């Protein structure tokens, strides 16, 4: 099992360009998440999808859109990139049930916006 | 006040010592608590979770939870240089509007010196 995969690993954009970050999981998890992590900081939730067909805003959704394509895939789109979106982006998945919500993370995408 | 606060680092301990990492949270509705380890340039990985008051031990790691004081900690006994990483505290909410979401602290960076 590959777990959670993300593409691309690195990306450099110019201000105003658009791009889509891809995420896929093969653990049959219902829930998927997109976070950003800025230097010296923890993870901030951008969007999440509790189950296939549903998405919801997290703490910092402005400037982003998401698509839950199917149970496996959850993409994050930047329509018009800004330097403030320079960050490391992590996708995660979890199996909602009971009291637990252990999240499994992908390797991350390092995005620089010039 | 941040929803999840961790003791400011960096924390430096000698090899073989006990490292103590602390976390407080503000939402009394929080029900599950997680410690993730993140090596530099890597993605977070779960090392412990706890949901009942008291201690939970796993090898050299002990998680402690006190819901009355809204406090969770991680003790690392016999610290090794390989324990040098950033440790993220995460708190999970199970109320319907927040179901499944975790809120992360900013992390504490631990350095274990040989």
């Amino acid at each position: 099992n590959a777990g959670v995969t993300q593409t691309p690993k690195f990306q450099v954009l110019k201000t105003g360009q658009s791009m889509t970050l891809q995420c896929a999981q093969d653990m049959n998890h219902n829930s998927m998440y997109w976070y950003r992590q800025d230097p010296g900081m923890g993870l901030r939730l951008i969007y999440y999808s509790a189950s296939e067909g549903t998405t919801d805003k997290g703490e910092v959704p402005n400037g982003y859109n998401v698509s839950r394509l199917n149970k496996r895939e959850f993409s994050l789109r930047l329509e018009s990139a800004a330097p403030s979106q320079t960050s490391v982006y992590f996708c995660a998945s979890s199996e909602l049930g009971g009291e637990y919500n252990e999240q499994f993370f992908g390797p991350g995408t390092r995005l620089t916006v010039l | 006040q941040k929803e999840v606060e961790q003791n400011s680092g960096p924390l430096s301990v000698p090899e073989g010592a006990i490292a103590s990492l602390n976390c407080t949270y503000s939402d009394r509705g929080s029900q599950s608590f997680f410690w993730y380890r993140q090596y530099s340039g890597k993605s977070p990985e779960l090392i412990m979770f706890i949901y009942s008051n008291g201690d939970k031990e796993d090898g050299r790691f002990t998680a402690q939870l006190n819901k009355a004081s809204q406090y969770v900690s991680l003790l690392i006994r016999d610290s090794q240089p390989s324990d040098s990483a950033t440790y993220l505290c995460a708190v999970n909410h199970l109320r319907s509007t927040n179901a499944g979401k975790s809120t992360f602290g900013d992390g504490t960076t631990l350095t274990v010196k040989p």
Side-chain angles (χ1 to χ4, degrees):
Chain A
N1 287 350
V4 180
T5 57
Q6 292 182 238
T7 55
K9 285 187 170 54
F10 300 93
Q11 184 71 49
V12 179
L13 293 177
K14 294 181 179 178
T15 296
Q17 287 185 316
S18 62
M19 78 161 296
T20 299
L21 282 64
Q22 306 286 355
C23 174
Q25 52 90 10
D26 62 2
M27 296 174 281
N28 202 37
H29 286 165
N30 286 319
S31 300
M32 298 185 73
Y33 311 83
W34 276 106
Y35 294 92
R36 62 177 287 174
Q37 186 174 40
D38 299 317
M41 296 184 70
L43 299 163
R44 291 187 291 170
L45 183 65
I46 304 171
Y47 271 93
Y48 73 103
S49 172
S51 61
E52 185 179 355
T54 68
T55 61
D56 217 335
K57 294 179 181 179
E59 182 185 353
V60 289
N62 291 343
Y64 306 94
N65 284 300
V66 291
S67 295
R68 183 73 182 268
L69 304 169
N70 47 55
K71 191 172 184 178
R72 289 187 65 246
E73 299 172 287
F74 189 37
S75 63
L76 178 71
R77 182 159 178 85
L78 287 70
E79 290 292 350
S80 179
S84 61
Q85 295 178 305
T86 294
S87 190
V88 180
Y89 291 84
F90 289 104
C91 177
S93 71
S94 70
E95 184 57 48
L96 260 188
E99 304 173 65
Y100 312 121
N101 188 39
E102 176 187 359
Q103 296 189 18
F104 295 84
F105 287 83
T109 294
R110 282 149 183 80
L111 174 67
T112 301
V113 183
L114 302 175
Chain B
Q1 182 191 5
K2 286 187 177 180
E3 192 171 339
V4 178
E5 297 208 47
Q6 297 186 236
N7 49 334
S8 58
L11 177 65
S12 181
V13 300
E15 185 174 355
I18 296 175
S20 178
L21 304 163
N22 303 316
C23 175
T24 58
Y25 61 95
S26 60
D27 186 352
R28 286 195 174 273
S30 305
Q31 295 182 267
S32 303
F33 308 86
F34 303 82
W35 285 100
Y36 289 84
R37 177 176 62 201
Q38 186 176 25
Y39 291 115
S40 180
K42 301 296 185 181
S43 57
E45 56 177 339
L46 183 75
I47 51 172
M48 291 283 291
F49 72 87
I50 187 168
Y51 61 95
S52 296
N53 277 327
D55 294 359
K56 179 180 179 182
E57 189 174 315
D58 184 1
R60 296 185 297 111
F61 298 95
T62 299
Q64 299 175 315
L65 174 61
N66 183 326
K67 288 188 178 180
S69 299
Q70 295 176 246
Y71 173 92
V72 57
S73 66
L74 179 70
L75 299 178
I76 306 175
R77 291 183 301 280
D78 187 25
S79 296
Q80 301 297 308
S82 59
D83 295 326
S84 297
T86 296
Y87 290 80
L88 300 168
C89 172
V91 172
N92 192 39
H93 314 272
L94 289 175
R95 285 183 257 171
S96 59
T97 55
N98 290 319
K101 291 195 299 183
S102 290
T103 301
F104 286 79
D106 286 344
T108 299
T109 298
L110 171 67
T111 300
V112 180
K113 296 187 176 180

